[in-house]
Amino acid sequence: MTTEAKSEKYITTFKQLMEEGRKNGYRLDWLLPRETFGAQINSNAEAGGLLLQDIDRGPFAQIPDWSDNMTGRPRGALVRPNAARVGNYSVRTKADIWLKNASQLYEEAVQRQWSSAVDVPWETMEELPDDIERAECQLATFLTEVEFVAGDVPGKWISETTPDYYEPRMFLISQIMDEARHMDVFRKRAFANGGGLMSQTTNVALSGGAIDSARDFTEMSARLHISGEGLVLSIFRMGERMSYNDAEKAIYRLAASDESRHVAFGVMHLQYLAQTDPQRKEEIHSYLDEIELGLVAGTGGQNPAQRGTPSNAALAILLGGGSDAASIAEGEQIALAVRQRQVKEYVQRVKVAGLGERFENGRANATLAAYVSA
Amino acid sequence: MVQQQSQPNVRRDMDGNPVPELPDLSWMDKTLGWGIKARVEPFGGGMTVDALNVGVYAEVPDHIAFRNRLPRGAYPAPGAGSIGGYYLQDKHEQWADCAGLLYEEGISRRWSTATDVPWETAHDLPGDVELAICQVATELSQHASVETEVVSGWLQNLSPGYHEVKLFLSTATYDAARMFEGYRKRGMLNGGGMMLESPGGMNRTIMETYAGWSQTVLGMWFVRNSLDTTILRYLAVYGPSEADRVLAARLIPDRMRAAAYAADHIRFAISKKPELAIGFQVWLNGVEFSQARDLRDPVLTEALAVIFGGSVAGMDEGMKVVRKMLQDFVKMYLSRCKQANLDRSKSLTSGFQFLLSGMAAPPRPQA
Ligand SMILES: [Fe+2]
Ligand SMILES: [Fe+2]
């Protein structure tokens, strides 16, 4: 709830105050109320307290379509003409990074922070058969490696984005925090139960750079949030089936809840872009062409369920319950279902983002359809 | 249905049933150390990241030879090359022994500006005090915003081989974000909003640290952080409402974690390469100059004087507190330098000597 801004008489009072202060030798030229002065916000503890999405009004709520903020000032702050131009922001066009609910996603992230030290019941772990433990540790090694991507790359884009678009920046900061925890929790898993780290995945090291290399935020977001994290989210959601104790279940459940926010950010941003800057849709479709190639041919390096990789073999062992041929065969059948689920969820995300026409006009990769109808 | 690849020579069992091909399982032996069991900390500390540094994994090398995301201690994949970035490959460029601990502490002390500040206590303050708080909030919010940009921007340069540092810096970015939004919320609470942007000299100094991460740390967490922490300490006492005092008090431990990393890192860097201290001293001359120049602009100190003095009429009294606060700021800064084995007591630049003398920010003739 907000009350009205106060009237002219306050401004007169401030002028009198300023005059008083000046007689004492102070400058006080900053003591000027903005047009919203006096409009109180009453926070409601039951509705989650004072939330970022509820505070901005008047000039502070005006998000420019193009930002000329080169000094890094908070949005809506008054300009100092002598301030240095420090903000070498390459992201200064609203459609290039905006989404409708970034503040909500940020506040949700704040509320849902968890600790890999104490919120995972590590003590429930008991010794596992050697092949299962090795598979767990291989998957954990893969995941701890790729989580660096999801933290470091958004980090670069935060520093490239004008603070006039602080909401997406804040969300991306919460993502960095989440990814640190993921990197950390999978490393912890590798050491928690008598195992250790295993093998780095070559194609992660080599092609992981695809997300790093993106020259445009939206392209990066499509590769990271929609594709890479989407794939990982589908795996985390299967966590129950590949867990051997409550600690692993907790890890996948907690990580999945973070990951779903990250994916939601990507979908909501793409949706905003598709709606407000439809001229860019063709360009975005061409990124999706590449992404889909990665989905079916495994060129992306971000998919733990990609055939022929150690992480996929590890998944098959975990899902099938052992490293003997029959268990692996069973595990691979389940892993196939995981890949189908990944594709279905990808298709759904692209549709929600407003780019679903590619699945009707024949543009989408044909192999996707085979997965979806399987 | 997805077509399965047809196998030319399908193995069969004795009954003639096809035996599935095993995937390549050679990775199962690829580990540099097996049989590790990290211990959960006693007394409820859980499984900490430092507890993982056991056995062959305990070694934190002085140099990381690769520029990719190989987790420290994992079996390197053949052919894995550089993926770009990560050019800070030396331990002395980033390391602090306490980084892992500070990371876990940052997580365990999580809090929220939405729910942990009694915002309802900060309505209906006198107009001049409210505007002064909004001016201070604007500057603190901007300081924090700059910090989020700077730290997050450096992550891509710091080697994943020192993951404890990266983990800590993630919490540091997040902590700075909380200060940004906490003071934006405070500014907006009664409509005062964001007022005049900060002078910008120090913002520029913190951002223009092409020289290296350690230089960033010196500007951002030795100098700027000492100022902000001192302001927060005074606001925790002189804040005009419970909300103002609580917000400031809750932010102090967040600031102190960054300061602890900073002092530990610089001390470590100097211990590894004593000659670095010479460059750090020269660098700090410039940073002090920049900070002192920003403080000669009266906006922040006047706003603080209104808050500490209780009104525009009380500014003379408030300014006495401001002068004491600026003295405390320089003392805090000097003690951090000392902790880091970087003695500034004899090389303090004149602007900082002036602040330390308690003579700074006198009432000035009308501009
Ligand atoms: Fe993640
Ligand atoms: Fe993620």
Side-chain angles (χ1 to χ4, degrees), chain A residues 14 17 21-22 25-28 30-34 36-43 48-52 55-57 60 71-80 83-84 86 89 106-107 110-111 113-115 117-119 122 130-131 133-134 137-138 141 144-145 148-149 152 155-156 158-159 166 169-170 173 176-177 180-181 183-184 187-188 191-200 202 205-206 212 310 313-314 317 325 328-329 336 371 374, chain B residues 1-2 4 20 22-23 25 27-28 30-31 33-38 40 44-49 52 57 68-81 83 86 103-104 107 110 112 114-115 119 123-124 127-128 130-132 135 138 142 145 148-149 152-153 155-156 160 163 166-167 170-171 173-174 177 180-181 184-185 188-199 204 207 297-299 302-303 312 315-316 319 363-364 366-367:
Chain A
F14 278 113
L17 274 171
R22 283 184 170 176
Y26 297 103
R27 212 164 81 186
L28 289 175
W30 53 271
L31 195 77
L32 283 169
R34 306 292 301 272
T36 47
F37 188 72
Q40 290 184 358
I41 304 166
N42 294 312
S43 66
L50 187 62
L51 299 166
L52 202 53
I55 59 168
D56 283 348
R57 58 204 68 248
F60 310 102
T71 60
R73 64 181 170 273
R75 187 174 70 221
L78 297 173
V79 175
R80 271 182 193 264
V86 290
Y89 305 117
Y106 167 76
E107 291 282 13
V110 170
Q111 287 307 314
Q113 291 297 298
W114 51 279
S115 158
V118 297
D119 294 333
W122 298 107
D130 188 64
D131 53 351
E133 182 63 28
R134 283 177 192 268
C137 289
Q138 179 55 57
T141 305
T144 198
E145 182 173 1
F148 279 121
V149 185
D152 292 350
K156 164 185 149 182
I158 290 161
S159 64
Y166 76 79
R169 285 187 7 161
M170 293 297 274
I173 292 168
I176 290 180
M177 185 65 248
R181 219 170 28 229
M183 183 253 126
D184 154 70
R187 190 174 177 92
K188 285 176 178 173
F191 291 111
N193 207 27
L197 284 173
M198 300 205 50
S199 181
Q200 179 183 29
T202 312
L206 295 177
D212 301 76
I317 291 171
I328 287 185
L336 179 65
Y371 270 105
Chain B
M1 183 66 205
V2 179
Q4 303 284 338
L22 277 177
L25 297 180
W27 54 266
M28 289 188 95
K30 286 179 180 160
T31 173
W34 192 249
I36 305 294
K37 196 158 168 71
V40 171
M47 174 85 78
T48 66
V49 69
L52 310 182
Y57 299 99
N68 60 50
R69 300 190 171 102
L70 175 70
R72 190 176 75 227
Y75 190 96
I83 55 163
Y86 300 134
Y103 162 72
E104 296 287 3
I107 287 194
R110 56 194 184 271
S112 149
T115 51
W119 293 110
H123 295 306
D124 304 317
D128 48 354
E130 178 67 21
L131 278 192
Q135 179 58 46
T138 305
Q142 185 170 357
S145 173
T148 62
E149 284 176 30
S152 63
L155 289 173
Q156 62 187 325
H163 59 263
K166 246 182 218 299
L167 291 174
S170 305
T171 63
T173 314
Y174 183 73
F180 165 82
E181 47 102 339
R184 189 174 183 89
K185 285 175 180 175
M188 295 308 309
L189 186 68
N190 300 302
M194 296 287 101
M195 295 178 60
L196 186 62
E197 68 175 310
S198 79
R204 185 170 59 160
M207 285 170 160
D297 178 280
V299 175
E302 284 188 358
V312 168
M315 278 180 79
D316 283 352
M319 201 53 91
R364 61 191 52 71
Q366 194 169 322

Side-chain angles (χ1 to χ4, degrees), chain A residues 7 58-59 77 82 102 120 123 131 146 158 160 174 201 218 235 260 318 322 334 349:
Chain A
S7 64
N82 63 348
V120 173
E123 67 285 356
D131 53 351
V146 298
I158 290 161
E160 292 276 323
S174 75
T201 307
T218 303
I235 301 276
S260 63
L318 295 174
I334 307 174
R349 280 173 202 127

Side-chain angles (χ1 to χ4, degrees), chain B residues 43-60:
Chain B
F43 315 118
M47 174 85 78
T48 66
V49 69
D50 284 339
L52 310 182
N53 292 342
V54 287
V56 296
Y57 299 99
E59 200 216 329
V60 183

Side-chain angles (χ1 to χ4, degrees), chain B residues 337-353:
Chain B
C337 292
K338 201 173 167 190
Q339 260 182 294
N341 281 333
L342 199 63
D343 185 13
R344 290 293 289 170
S345 60
K346 299 197 176 58
S347 48
L348 205 62
T349 49
S350 59
F352 268 42
Q353 285 176 23

Side-chain angles (χ1 to χ4, degrees), chain B residues 197-215:
Chain B
E197 68 175 310
S198 79
M202 266 302 276
N203 296 338
R204 185 170 59 160
T205 301
I206 291 167
M207 285 170 160
E208 291 185 352
T209 49
Y210 203 56
W213 169 244
S214 301
Q215 282 75 3

Side-chain angles (χ1 to χ4, degrees), chain A residues 15-28:
Chain A
K15 281 194 175 137
Q16 288 163 351
L17 274 171
M18 202 190 288
E19 290 313 313
E20 279 303 306
R22 283 184 170 176
K23 279 184 207 149
N24 295 328
Y26 297 103
R27 212 164 81 186
L28 289 175

Side-chain angles (χ1 to χ4, degrees), chain A residues 147 150 179 182 229 236 259 262:
Chain A
E147 298 292 352
E179 305 300 0
H182 298 174
E229 299 188 284
F236 288 170
E259 228 50 86
H262 309 162

